[in-house]
Amino acid sequence: YGGEAELESYPKSDGQYYVWTARDGRRIMAFAAGGLVFIANDEAALDKVLSVRSGSEQALSFNFADAKGENREIVARGIITEAGIAQISNILAIQMAIGSVEDEESKQFISAALPVIVRNSIKQVEWTAVDDGAGFEDRYRIVPEPKIGQVFAETLEAGKGEFRELAKMIPADAAMITFYNLKDSRIAWRSILLSIQAVSDPVTARLAPVFAKTLAEPYGIDDTESFLAAAGNRIASFRIDPEGEQVAVTGIADDETL
C-alpha cells in the first residue's frame, strides 16, 4: 500500500497473526507458524484455512498427476476445483465472446451458455510447471465428468506424425502457435458438439451446432466438417501479433472436398 499502512500483530493459536490496514480501508492479513506463512486479503478466508490446518474442518482431498521422465523438477503446481471452475467459467465466457465473434447475438449466446457447459463438463483442472534443464514446460490435466470422459477417451485420440512440414510455413516471430494432432479430427469435433448438447439445456442444445460454427469464423471457415475432411488430422494455428488475426496451416487430405 505504498508504505501508508498500519500494522497490528498479536499471538494466535501456535503462531503470530498480522494485519496491515491501508488508509483507504484495504487490508492484508497473515498468519505465521511452524515455518509457514498464510496470506490473504479476506479475514474469513484466512480463518477458514487455519481451521483446516487445526483439523476442525476437512481438508481438500486430491491427487496430482506426477510429471514423468528423467531430469525433471516440478517447480510449481496448482489446482482449480469445481467451485473455482464455476467462477472462472463466467470470466472465460466473457473473454471468449469478445474475442471470437463480432455479432451481438453470438456474444450473448456464448456468455450465457459457456459457463453452464463448462460447469457441467469439468470436475477439476490441475497445472504443473516442470523444469527440464532447458526450459519450463506447463502441463494441464483436465478431469471431466465421468460420462464426458468416457466419450473423449474414445474420440480425442492422438494421431500419428509430426508437425515439421507445417512448422516450415509458420513465421519465426509468430507470437502464439497451437498444434492439433488427432486421429480423426471430424469424429473429435462431432463428439465435442454432442457432449455440449448432452450437458446443456434444451434451448442451448439446439443452438449449439449453429453457434459452434462461429469458432472457425476467424479463419474464414463456414463449414467446419468439410474443412476437417479436407485438412486431415494435423492442423496448426498462429498469430503474428497477440491481438492480431489468427492464421491456420494444414495439410491436404482430400483435394475434392477442399
Side-chain angles (χ1 to χ4, degrees), residues 88-119 196 200-201 204 207-208 210-218:
I88 293 175
S89 63
N90 294 321
I91 301 174
L92 293 178
I94 295 173
Q95 292 179 335
M96 185 174 180
I98 294 174
S100 62
V101 294
E102 295 183 358
D103 64 284
E104 288 301 319
E105 187 177 0
S106 296
K107 288 181 180 180
Q108 291 176 8
F109 175 82
I110 293 174
S111 298
L114 187 59
V116 177
I117 294 170
V118 172
R119 289 196 296 267
I196 289 174
S200 303
D201 60 80
T204 301
L207 295 175
V210 177
F211 286 95
K213 294 181 180 180
T214 62
L215 299 177
E217 284 183 355

Side-chain angles (χ1 to χ4, degrees), residues 169-181:
M169 304 296 111
I170 300 176
D173 60 350
M176 301 172 63
I177 307 170
T178 304
F179 292 102
Y180 302 91
N181 183 21

Side-chain angles (χ1 to χ4, degrees), residues 163 166 170 177-180 219 234-238 247-250:
F163 290 99
L166 295 183
I170 300 176
I177 307 170
T178 304
F179 292 102
Y180 302 91
Y219 305 100
R234 288 192 295 279
I235 303 171
S237 68
F238 65 91
V247 180
V249 180
T250 77

Side-chain angles (χ1 to χ4, degrees), residues 26-160:
R26 290 178 297 166
R27 303 173 75 207
I28 290 289
M29 52 280 307
F31 176 79
L36 295 174
V37 179
F38 303 84
I39 304 173
N41 60 2
D42 181 83
E43 188 172 5
L46 181 56
D47 288 343
K48 191 172 184 67
V49 173
L50 297 182
S51 296
V52 174
R53 175 179 177 270
S54 66
S56 59
E57 289 200 29
Q58 186 176 357
L60 179 68
S61 177
F62 61 89
N63 293 313
F64 277 109
D66 288 331
K68 298 179 180 179
E70 299 179 355
N71 301 321
R72 290 176 177 267
E73 181 180 357
I74 297 175
V75 296
R77 279 179 157 175
I79 182 172
I80 305 175
T81 63
E82 284 188 82
I85 289 171
Q87 297 178 10
I88 293 175
S89 63
N90 294 321
I91 301 174
L92 293 178
I94 295 173
Q95 292 179 335
M96 185 174 180
I98 294 174
S100 62
V101 294
E102 295 183 358
D103 64 284
E104 288 301 319
E105 187 177 0
S106 296
K107 288 181 180 180
Q108 291 176 8
F109 175 82
I110 293 174
S111 298
L114 187 59
V116 177
I117 294 170
V118 172
R119 289 196 296 267
N120 292 340
S121 303
I122 300 175
K123 299 281 289 183
Q124 184 170 290
V125 178
E126 300 170 6
W127 162 73
T128 305
V130 179
D131 180 5
D132 62 3
F136 294 93
E137 175 183 315
D138 286 337
R139 292 184 172 188
Y140 295 88
R141 179 173 180 264
I142 300 174
V143 182
E145 288 286 345
K147 291 183 179 180
I148 301 295
Q150 291 173 4
V151 173
F152 286 170
E154 298 177 1
T155 60
L156 298 183
E157 187 176 352
K160 297 180 180 180

